[in-house]
Amino acid sequence: MSVSEIQLFQILKNKLGEKEAQTLVTFVQEEVKAEFDNRREVLATKEDIANVHKSIYVVGLVQFLAIIGSVLLIVNFMLK
């Protein structure tokens, strides 16, 4: 148990009794862990962010090359 869990247990023990306090603290621990596990699934990792940056770079480079190619084709067409 962490310090906050021990403090919660001590407070509840005075009000509810030892067995009920332990049951409630255990329930809270499990619920917090379950909620954390659910939210962890949607968090991005450093690897995810790095992959997005690489993708953005590649897409930007391809767009840049497409624009340069288009401009060169237009200029070439106008000069003929």
Side-chain angles (χ1 to χ4, degrees):
M1 268 197 236
S2 69
V3 173
S4 59
E5 291 167 352
I6 292 171
Q7 290 172 337
L8 177 61
F9 174 75
Q10 291 298 328
I11 293 168
L12 292 173
K13 184 173 96 170
N14 294 335
K15 301 277 184 183
L16 302 174
E18 189 169 339
K19 183 178 177 184
E20 291 80 9
Q22 182 61 41
T23 302
L24 187 54
V25 169
T26 302
F27 174 76
V28 170
Q29 285 174 329
E30 292 170 0
E31 288 299 312
V32 168
K33 184 179 181 320
E35 185 65 25
F36 176 76
D37 290 341
N38 288 339
R39 290 185 185 221
R40 182 176 50 184
E41 296 297 322
V42 264
L43 295 176
T45 62
K46 288 181 182 180
E47 185 178 312
D48 295 336
I49 294 171
N51 289 338
V52 168
H53 283 287
K54 288 177 188 175
S55 298
I56 290 172
Y57 175 76
V58 169
V59 167
L61 182 62
V62 169
Q63 286 179 340
F64 176 73
L65 293 174
I67 291 169
I68 295 297
S70 298
V71 169
L72 290 175
L73 286 174
I74 291 170
V75 169
N76 188 23
F77 177 73
M78 294 179 79
L79 292 177
K80 286 187 180 183

